[in-house]
Amino acid sequence: MPIRGGLPPRNPRFVGREELLTRVRGLLGNGPVVLLPSPDHQLGGTGRTQLAVEYAYRLADTYDLVWWIPAEQNAGMRAALAGLAQQLGIPEARDLNRTLGAVRDALSRGEPYRNWLVVFENANRPEDIMPYLPSGAGHVLVTSRNPRWTAEVAQALPVPVFDRTDSVDLLRARAPELSAADAEELASRLDDVPMALDLAAAVREAAGWPLSEYLRRYDERAAELAFPTPIRVAWGLAAEALGEDAPADRVLLELCTFLASAPISWRLLWAARTLPLEGEVARTVRVERRLRAAMRRIGRFGLADLDPAGESLTVHPLVRGMFGQELSSERHAALLRTVRGMLAAADPGDPDNPAGWYRYAELAPHLIHSDLLGGDAEEVRQLVINCIRFHFARGDYDSSRDLASSAVARWRDALGETAEQTLLAAFHLANALRAVGRTSDARNLNLQTLRTQREVFGADDEATLATANSVGGDLRMQGHFGQARQLDADNLVRYRRLFGESFPTALRCANNLAADLRLLGDFRGARTIDEQVLRHRQAIFVDGHPETLSSRTGLAFDLYGLGDFAAAAAVLAGQPSGRVPADHPFALWAGRFAAMAARRRGQPEARELAAANFAACRQKFGDLSVDTLAAAVSLAHCARAEGDLTGAHELLERAVIRYHAVLGDEHPFTLAASAGLAAVVRAAGRYAEARTIDHEVLGGLRRSVGADHPFTLSCANGYAADLAAAGEAQPARELAADTLRRSRQVRGVDHPDTAACAWNLALGDGDEAARQQALDALAKAFGDGHPVFRRTAEGVRLETDIDLPPL
């Protein structure tokens, strides 16, 4: 049996189309096929979707995988492709774009399924689906109303109306008592248009109208219209019949026409029970049983498709459009207000919680068709903001950015630039911009938003503090660690004053301040904060909660920075397993720090751990992420420690180039990675080249983070070795002595890197007593049998590697 995903139910009354199905099969062998309306029925109704569904079921056994993608809206299409990624065994990247690219590539390679069928339904903008179109041995089938498909993208196949025989078969299948002659008369009146035929058959069955009654009503209604097309007349009769049979059901259907062609769940309609509705409609939606019965009646009249389980209705775009044309402006406005209120009432809240994401996935497709951005109620706009955050939380940064950008533009015009929800949307837009790599735009927008919030709402407003936290993130990304510390310290005072010390948002702010201190090299200060935050989080969260893991990883890096590598490893080992996915960012941080600690402790598995972490970061974040680049630097240190200078050089050279592109030439991380590259070049004996790199890097680090920063001290230690190799003994000694003095003050006399600096100075001086003293310090720091003593036995200088904390 093939694997199926998202496939609509098969139409048990499907008839004919044998020649078309054969043509579809033949054309698919030459590339993607797009099913279009025939030229004389440009609005549709000729059965394109039903043809695609029938093809998928009829030919399913010839495929290993059949996957249906609703493509009317980007967000829904991307969500369906993300579901396909899970089926293909593709780990979800932090940025959904990378996951979707991996889906396309896996299908194109035929891994793990060679014979597949992917159907894009209602893909009315070719440019939207082109980035996701796979090639290879599988097949791509598209349904669309848009004739602007070029032959280079897909082969166009117009879907005409039925031939008369198929029309008669369809009508008689629905009404066996109908004679062939009567069926032919009705088919002739309806011009063999599939949707009109289906509506006529459904309403005759539901309303019990004999053929003569239906034809009489059909002629009367056609005479009332200026342009009586078969679909318009048949739809009008079905809507009229539903209104006569159950007026409340017709109102429910009218509400549905303000929503998208995506499934409309009974839960969404049930949310309307909280709204002020007309008597019978209110009674219908108040009780689930009555609501589900109404949905079944709407389906029986052919005005919407009811799924087999009776869970949801899907309204055809043509039906939506025809209802819209019938409504007066007053009625349209009233129904639209109700729909917006219904959507807002269905908002589950807490969009960061994965448990509620399925609810947001149901709501998000309907935002555009209900013009939720134009709603004048605060709770309606809050749903928009929650959907923006939902897209961001699940990694769909493009959808988050697009919706946030639209919200900011609309609300600036409607509410003003200083309105609370305009500013909140701008805050979320900046987050999305940063996530898609537009860091400069994010920074500028955040600063503008923060200034306005402080002026309008004050510095202690909760939304103002959230934006200030985001600005702190921008400052860290820019390399302005001191400014970030000042801002986050001020934020923390305000958070604690407003919420108390152990409130989750206050703890997140404290966590940010600890990150600033780590980046500044103040590991003692960071440790104090991280230990406090960890205690609070352990008290309020279950074991293994992501935020608890965040505190553990921060504390582990603090201990690592203080030179206590065993304690760092123990903190990470104490984290309960199984609660946080292996590819969660915090879990990946923990994996990198564990590999770092293993390397510094001289454990042979360090490189294997670092290599696995680097691969996982590439999969999750991509090659240009600062997390991936930091993992590459740590892996390079392992490679150099094992003597693999070629591997280390390749990793660091790529990392430096990418740091230059992502963070800029003067960012401390770019400079730190360059210092690591100099160490590899120095190990290869290319001292002049290493000296050139270190000279530039040391000047940059002194300017950016100061002479006492651990990054600067590590680079200075390497530069002293460059000078010594160049025969400049006196400058080398002076720099080594200065570096040792600063290391004792900054890192402490017992820090392993301080001991390494002491060894290097003693080695250059030829002072045996000082050398022995340094060896004793190294033994105290590392223990007997550590690989570092192979280096000292060879009488060579020791490197002090720079491992990068998270930004």
Side-chain angles (χ1 to χ4, degrees):
M1 290 291 293
I3 297 166
R4 298 173 182 173
L7 195 59
R10 191 174 189 175
N11 182 0
R13 300 186 179 94
F14 186 88
V15 297
R17 302 295 204 187
E18 297 299 330
E19 181 183 351
L20 268 177
L21 289 166
T22 301
R23 289 188 64 194
V24 170
R25 179 64 172 173
L27 289 172
L28 283 172
N30 300 321
V33 173
V34 56
L35 303 178
L36 298 172
S38 58
D40 50 346
H41 289 84
Q42 287 294 318
L43 293 179
T46 59
R48 290 164 292 120
T49 297
Q50 290 301 318
L51 181 66
V53 170
E54 179 64 18
Y55 177 87
Y57 278 100
R58 191 175 296 192
L59 279 296
D61 289 342
T62 65
Y63 296 103
D64 303 318
L65 173 83
V66 178
W67 210 265
W68 191 274
I69 309 290
E72 186 177 31
Q73 294 184 25
N74 271 347
M77 174 176 63
R78 291 159 65 83
L81 286 166
L84 177 54
Q86 295 179 357
Q87 182 60 55
L88 297 176
I90 296 172
E92 186 170 333
R94 189 174 189 177
D95 181 352
L96 188 60
N97 280 339
R98 299 194 62 254
T99 303
L100 304 190
V103 168
R104 178 199 59 222
D105 295 344
L107 291 173
S108 298
R109 292 192 306 269
E111 297 174 356
Y113 307 109
R114 178 172 174 77
N115 296 314
W116 44 262
L117 171 68
V118 175
V119 183
F120 290 89
E121 179 196 17
N122 282 336
N124 297 317
R125 287 167 49 90
E127 60 272 23
D128 287 346
I129 76 164
M130 283 176 61
Y132 312 118
L133 287 179
S135 55
H139 293 162
V140 175
L141 185 59
V142 182
T143 72
S144 178
R145 293 192 307 274
N146 188 343
R148 295 187 302 105
W149 289 80
T150 63
E152 290 77 14
V153 178
Q155 307 161 87
L157 180 60
V159 176
V161 299
F162 279 149
D163 61 37
R164 184 57 50 82
T165 300
D166 289 342
S167 298
V168 170
D169 288 345
L170 183 148
L171 292 171
R172 297 193 71 195
R174 295 286 295 265
E177 76 283 357
L178 197 65
S179 69
D182 287 345
E184 185 159 345
E185 181 181 1
L186 180 55
S188 175
R189 196 73 58 90
L190 298 172
D191 290 344
D192 299 301
V193 178
M195 185 175 181
L197 292 165
D198 196 61
L199 281 166
V203 73
R204 286 188 63 249
E205 182 179 355
W209 293 346
L211 179 60
S212 58
E213 175 69 9
Y214 185 86
L215 291 176
R216 181 186 66 78
R217 289 179 178 245
Y218 186 96
D219 291 339
E220 288 177 354
R221 186 166 187 84
E224 297 170 356
L225 299 173
F227 302 101
T229 66
I231 291 179
R232 176 168 294 280
V233 177
W235 163 80
L237 293 179
E240 179 184 332
L242 176 64
E244 292 174 356
D245 185 73
D249 296 357
R250 172 167 175 145
V251 175
L252 279 179
L253 179 58
E254 287 175 341
L255 293 175
C256 290
T257 63
F258 285 85
L259 301 170
S261 295
I264 302 165
S265 75
W266 68 268
R267 296 181 195 84
L268 174 53
L269 296 172
W270 195 39
R273 70 190 184 279
T274 63
L275 306 175
L277 299 173
E278 302 167 6
E280 188 59 29
V281 179
R283 181 178 180 276
T284 300
V285 299
R286 194 177 300 131
V287 177
E288 178 188 341
R289 172 179 53 81
R290 291 199 287 264
L291 173 59
R292 286 178 178 266
M295 293 170 64
R296 290 194 297 272
R297 284 192 294 270
I298 291 171
R300 279 206 305 271
F301 278 84
L303 291 162
D305 292 326
L306 183 71
D307 73 309
E311 294 286 313
S312 62
L313 288 169
T314 304
V315 182
H316 193 282
L318 280 179
V319 172
R320 291 205 321 259
M322 286 183 286
F323 264 110
Q325 293 174 17
E326 290 276 314
L327 298 173
S328 67
S329 58
E330 294 79 10
R331 179 68 173 160
H332 185 282
L335 289 171
L336 183 56
R337 281 195 300 272
T338 299
V339 168
R340 288 169 173 169
M342 180 176 71
L343 288 164
D347 185 354
D350 193 9
D352 286 304
N353 186 354
W357 285 357
Y358 79 98
R359 297 288 305 281
Y360 280 112
E362 289 181 349
L363 294 174
H366 303 299
L367 265 61
I368 304 301
H369 287 278
S370 60
D371 189 26
L372 216 65
L373 293 172
D376 54 6
E378 189 175 30
E379 64 271 19
V380 171
R381 293 191 295 270
Q382 186 60 47
L383 172 57
V384 174
I385 290 169
N386 285 349
C387 285
I388 293 169
R389 183 64 194 179
F390 154 68
H391 288 312
F392 184 92
R394 68 183 303 274
D396 190 355
Y397 302 136
D398 283 349
S399 294
S400 181
R401 177 201 59 203
D402 292 345
L403 183 56
S405 180
S406 297
V408 169
R410 290 282 296 275
W411 295 349
R412 277 177 177 167
D413 290 340
L415 308 175
E417 292 191 356
T418 62
E420 180 180 3
Q421 289 180 313
T422 303
L423 294 169
L424 192 54
F427 161 76
H428 287 294
L429 175 57
N431 283 340
L433 289 171
R434 186 192 300 117
V436 298
R438 292 171 55 183
T439 54
S440 178
D441 292 339
R443 178 175 67 250
N444 293 337
L445 180 57
N446 265 332
L447 288 172
Q448 176 186 340
T449 303
L450 182 59
R451 282 194 298 269
T452 305
Q453 287 176 319
R454 283 175 170 170
E455 291 171 3
V456 177
F457 304 110
D460 285 344
D461 179 78
E462 185 174 357
T464 304
L465 289 172
T467 305
N469 271 334
S470 189
V471 171
D474 294 330
L475 290 169
R476 285 191 290 276
M477 189 64 71
Q478 290 175 268
H480 301 326
F481 305 147
Q483 294 179 39
R485 177 190 58 190
Q486 291 175 355
L487 179 61
D488 288 333
D490 179 71
N491 289 345
L492 182 56
V493 170
R494 297 176 187 278
Y495 265 120
R496 285 176 171 171
R497 185 168 63 241
L498 287 171
F499 302 110
E501 190 175 59
S502 62
F503 197 74
T505 50
L507 294 175
R508 292 188 198 113
C509 186
N511 193 76
N512 291 346
L513 179 58
D516 300 331
L517 294 175
R518 269 194 301 278
L519 290 164
L520 288 166
D522 183 2
F523 298 113
R524 291 182 183 85
R527 176 184 180 178
T528 299
I529 295 175
D530 279 325
E531 286 177 338
Q532 293 172 348
V533 172
L534 179 58
R535 284 195 298 270
H536 284 303
R537 284 176 167 172
Q538 286 174 326
I540 63 177
F541 295 128
V542 297
D543 285 343
H545 190 280
E547 296 201 20
T548 305
L549 177 56
S550 171
S551 291
R552 283 188 177 276
T553 57
L555 178 58
F557 202 104
D558 301 337
L559 293 166
Y560 180 88
L562 291 169
D564 195 345
F565 309 131
V571 167
L572 295 172
Q575 170 70 13
S577 60
R579 294 278 186 177
V580 178
D583 66 344
H584 191 285
F586 298 158
L588 294 174
W589 291 353
R592 179 162 70 89
F593 302 164
M596 288 158 39
R599 183 188 82 246
R600 296 301 298 266
R601 296 173 71 194
Q603 296 176 333
E605 69 271 20
R607 185 173 183 180
E608 181 180 351
L609 292 173
N613 180 256
F614 176 56
C617 286
R618 291 185 71 191
Q619 172 62 45
K620 182 72 174 181
F621 304 119
D623 287 331
L624 295 179
S625 163
V626 291
D627 289 300
T628 303
L629 296 177
V633 170
S634 294
L635 176 58
H637 293 333
C638 292
R640 197 202 71 234
E642 291 187 356
D644 180 8
L645 301 184
T646 300
H649 190 280
E650 290 176 356
L651 283 164
L652 283 164
E653 190 172 48
R654 281 197 299 268
V656 168
I657 291 171
R658 288 168 176 167
Y659 269 128
H660 276 287
V662 174
L663 298 179
D665 298 347
E666 292 295 313
H667 194 284
F669 279 28
T670 306
L671 297 169
S674 299
L677 179 60
V680 175
V681 172
R682 184 165 47 250
R686 305 201 304 272
Y687 302 112
E689 183 180 344
R691 177 182 176 176
T692 300
I693 296 172
D694 275 329
H695 178 76
E696 182 178 346
V697 169
L698 184 58
L701 287 172
R702 284 171 172 168
R703 290 190 299 272
S704 62
V705 292
D708 290 335
H709 193 282
F711 288 6
T712 311
L713 297 178
S714 292
C715 180
N717 179 62
Y719 189 44
D722 300 333
L723 294 172
E728 300 181 45
Q730 186 59 29
R733 189 195 182 286
E734 291 174 357
L735 181 57
D738 180 70
T739 303
L740 176 59
R741 178 182 60 81
R742 293 176 186 275
S743 186
R744 284 170 173 165
Q745 292 175 346
V746 173
R747 296 166 169 149
V749 294
D750 294 328
H751 194 285
D753 287 347
T754 301
C757 290
W759 166 261
N760 292 345
L761 178 61
L763 193 65
D765 287 346
D767 185 337
E768 288 300 324
R771 287 175 64 177
Q772 186 57 52
Q773 189 177 7
L775 284 172
D776 292 343
L778 289 168
K780 182 179 179 181
F782 291 111
D784 295 333
H786 193 280
V788 71
F789 296 109
R790 291 199 295 269
R791 304 282 293 167
T792 58
E794 295 168 357
V796 298
R797 290 179 179 264
L798 301 178
E799 298 289 352
T800 50
D801 297 328
I802 304 174
D803 282 293
L804 300 164
L807 273 177

